[in-house]
């Protein structure tokens, strides 16, 4: 059995692809490697062969890419779109989890099959350098942000940040529902938000990157519980087109941190202000919500 997941990377001068290959190894467990493939002038070469071992960690870089961090190196990847970022992130996260569960390490007996890929035609030295570079050259060339005047009160700063992030999250959900996520990157989404809000969001780039993947993972259609009852996420609640398509008239908002998206429109809201955790007491709201649902039928 062999599984392959490939995404195109954002490189202007050539086609560059990141490939996650998974197969069952000598010990009977799944093993994965990452291949960096270059396609230039009709020639296909390999620029990177990297086993996924237990020490590998994947981190978002805040500008539409991600870093693979090991004990000895950092590898940078810039997928061509939000959809590509999601696909790569999911595939690598799963492979990393398997590597950790089975304690794969560099001196172990696993990943012997990667020697085949190491024997293939390798990319030229410049491309090899680009695959293995240790710092984000694009980021080094960007302007230094203007200094921000600090508030005397830490609490005030925290409140401002919370309000800003709630605003970003709401606008981002609506923005992601209106664009083709195969054609935009996280960086482009951030730039759209900056234009819409009229402020620089560079200091929030990590938050935005995290939210993009979180929202993307919630973008499935709402689940049908009964003919008159749907269960969805905050993304579904923010998607006016989907709500109207499903003939939704009443919405129960069971969150403390997410406001009603269409308070002045045709939807009737009931708010249950609790945090999304195991300790939330939902039973005390049972009768009210049951009555609200029956009224909506």
């Amino acid at each position: 059995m062999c599984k392959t997941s490939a995404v195109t990377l954002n490189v202007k001068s050539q086609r560059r692809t990141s490939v996650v290959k998974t197969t069952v190894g000598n010990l009977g467990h799944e093993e994965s490697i990452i291949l960096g493939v270059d396609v230039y002038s009709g020639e296909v070469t390999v620029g990177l062969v990297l086993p996924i071992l237990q020490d590998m960690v994947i981190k978002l870089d805040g500008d539409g890419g991600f870093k693979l961090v090991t004990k000895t190196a950092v590898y940078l990847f810039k997928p061509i779109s939000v959809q590509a970022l999601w696909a790569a992130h999911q595939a690598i996260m799963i492979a990393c989890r398997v590597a950790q569960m089975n304690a794969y390490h560099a001196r172990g007996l696993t990943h012997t099959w990667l020697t085949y890929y190491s024997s293939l035609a390798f990319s030229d030295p410049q491309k090899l350098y680009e695959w293995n570079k240790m710092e984000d050259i694009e980021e080094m060339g960007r302007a230094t942000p203007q200094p921000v005047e600090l508030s005397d009160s830490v609490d005030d700063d925290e409140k401002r940040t919370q309000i800003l992030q709630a605003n970003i999250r709401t606008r981002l959900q609506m923005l992601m529902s209106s664009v083709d996520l195969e054609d935009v990157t996280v960086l482009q989404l951030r730039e759209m938000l900056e234009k819409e809000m009229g402020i620089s969001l560079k200091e929030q780039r990590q938050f935005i990157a995290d939210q993009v993947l979180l929202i993307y993972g919630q973008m499935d259609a709402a689940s049908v519980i009964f003919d008159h009852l749907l269960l969805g996420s905050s993304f579904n609640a923010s998607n006016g087109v989907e709500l109207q398509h499903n003939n939704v008239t009443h919405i129960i908002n069971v969150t403390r941190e997410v406001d009603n998206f269409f308070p002045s429109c045709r939807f009737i809201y009931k708010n249950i202000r609790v945090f999304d955790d195991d300790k939330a007491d939902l039973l005390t709201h049972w009768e009210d919500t049951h009555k609200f649902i029956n009224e909506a039928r």
Side-chain angles (χ1 to χ4, degrees), residues 208-243:
I208 292 171
D210 291 338
Q211 289 300 309
V212 166
L213 285 194
L214 180 62
I215 293 169
Y216 191 91
Q218 297 173 340
M219 288 178 68
D220 290 335
S223 302
V224 179
I225 307 302
F226 299 109
D227 290 340
H228 65 282
L229 183 63
L230 304 175
L231 177 64
S233 64
S234 59
F235 176 82
N236 301 120
S238 71
N239 190 337
V241 174
E242 181 185 2
L243 293 174

Side-chain angles (χ1 to χ4, degrees), residues 4-16:
T4 302
S5 174
V7 298
T8 302
L9 302 181
N10 197 1
V11 181
K12 295 180 180 179
S13 60
Q14 66 199 55
R15 181 180 175 186
R16 176 163 284 177

Side-chain angles (χ1 to χ4, degrees), residues 31-64:
E31 301 169 3
S32 300
I33 64 172
I34 296 173
L35 298 175
V37 180
D38 291 304
V39 181
Y40 185 73
S41 298
E43 182 182 12
V44 180
T45 56
V46 176
L48 180 70
V49 180
L50 184 65
I52 298 181
L53 304 176
Q54 64 179 350
D55 66 332
M56 181 177 288
V57 177
I58 182 171
K59 296 182 178 180
L60 299 179
D61 73 352
D63 277 332

